[in-house]
Amino acid sequence: MKVKSLCFVVLAIVLGACKGPAGPALGGTWQGFVYLHDEYGAPLVTDSNMVVTALPTATTSTTSDVGYYSFTSLTTGVYSLQYILPAFGTYFLANQQFVGGGTVEIPGINLGRVSTGQISNLAFVPSATGDTIIAMGNINPPPPGIARYVRFFFDLQPTVAGTSVTTWTVTLPASGPPYAVTGATFSIVITGQDLRALQHAFATGVTVNAIGYGESYYENSYPDTITQTGKPVFPNLCKVASNLTTFAMVPSPF
């Protein structure tokens, strides 16, 4: 029994020696570029004056004329990067790992201005066959030859609001860039995966509430990490929502 106990003691000493001290919190340079665009997707003349903060610290860096920013006083850890510039909304890159000891690159980010597109007279017209829903309305037109962009939000409650991640059930497009419109009057055919997203969320015949917003080409969406809804946040929606409208959910033809 004494020999066995001695073996355990020796083994514990060896394992403790192998474990060693925790790794050092290394410093270094963490750097990246921000590329700024207008709401239609065209690059701006300068990419300057966007303030980037490495949360949860108060360490900030302001972008240069070419969009360059850097942090030189951070140590190894996990940070969330917050990007703020008036007229561009707020963008987040959550839970980014920084390993010091040298220069680490942050992937370049394209960010767009908040949309000025105001939608009015919004209406949704389901087809009799249930294979499409037509979204119709008006919007202040973009410059000639350039598209403006829109996004729609849907919920069973009339309080549906795209500016809050907690008060809508479906947003369209379900994936990819927002819908493009080129004139003061638009007619968008909702079909395919977008229609199926609505049919999956809402039972046939129920009254669905809907609103629309102008949105920028670079819509700057990011996953909600504050209220943990799992929904995306859309910081570049127009500050003015469309009228609230309703329609009866169509049955799936499939």
Side-chain angles (χ1 to χ4, degrees):
M1 292 295 293
K2 291 183 178 180
V3 174
K4 189 174 182 179
S5 299
L6 180 60
C7 290
F8 279 130
V9 172
V10 173
L11 179 60
I13 294 173
V14 171
L15 290 177
C18 291
K19 183 177 179 181
L26 300 174
T29 299
W30 204 17
Q31 64 184 24
F33 287 86
V34 170
Y35 307 107
L36 302 181
H37 304 262
D38 66 21
E39 63 182 293
Y40 310 110
L44 299 186
V45 174
T46 178
D47 299 310
S48 63
N49 296 323
M50 176 158 279
V51 177
V52 187
T53 304
L55 302 174
T57 75
T59 305
T60 65
S61 178
T62 302
T63 58
S64 70
D65 189 58
V66 295
Y68 174 78
Y69 65 98
S70 66
F71 302 100
T72 58
S73 61
L74 299 179
T75 56
T76 300
V78 177
Y79 302 89
S80 291
L81 299 178
Q82 178 188 65
Y83 301 77
I84 296 180
L85 178 63
F88 280 81
T90 298
Y91 179 70
F92 283 95
L93 270 179
N95 303 322
Q96 302 296 299
Q97 177 71 52
F98 171 62
V99 179
T103 299
V104 180
E105 299 290 334
I106 302 168
I109 300 172
N110 291 290
L111 298 177
R113 282 185 180 271
V114 172
S115 173
T116 60
Q118 297 185 22
I119 298 173
S120 60
N121 302 316
L122 181 64
F124 290 84
V125 181
S127 66
T129 56
D131 58 349
T132 61
I133 297 176
I134 308 298
M136 300 183 297
N138 301 106
I139 193 168
N140 48 317
I146 297 177
R148 193 183 280 287
Y149 299 89
V150 300
R151 178 172 294 278
F152 304 124
F153 296 86
F154 306 85
D155 196 70
L156 292 178
Q157 303 301 320
T159 52
V160 55
T163 54
S164 172
V165 296
T166 61
T167 55
W168 53 266
T169 299
V170 174
T171 181
L172 296 183
S175 63
Y179 298 118
V181 298
T182 56
T185 300
F186 62 84
S187 180
I188 298 170
V189 179
I190 298 174
T191 188
Q193 70 169 350
D194 287 349
L195 180 60
R196 288 192 291 273
L198 289 175
Q199 291 168 331
H200 177 75
F202 305 111
T204 299
V206 303
T207 298
V208 179
N209 296 273
I211 56 172
Y213 290 83
E215 189 171 31
S216 62
Y217 175 79
Y218 288 105
E219 32 88 350
N220 302 0
S221 64
Y222 59 89
D224 170 37
T225 58
I226 298 176
T227 60
Q228 303 296 321
T229 64
K231 297 177 181 179
V233 178
F234 299 95
N236 277 7
L237 299 176
C238 178
K239 300 302 183 183
V240 180
S242 74
N243 56 293
L244 177 70
T245 187
T246 63
F247 63 94
M249 191 64 240
V250 296
S252 173
F254 305 105

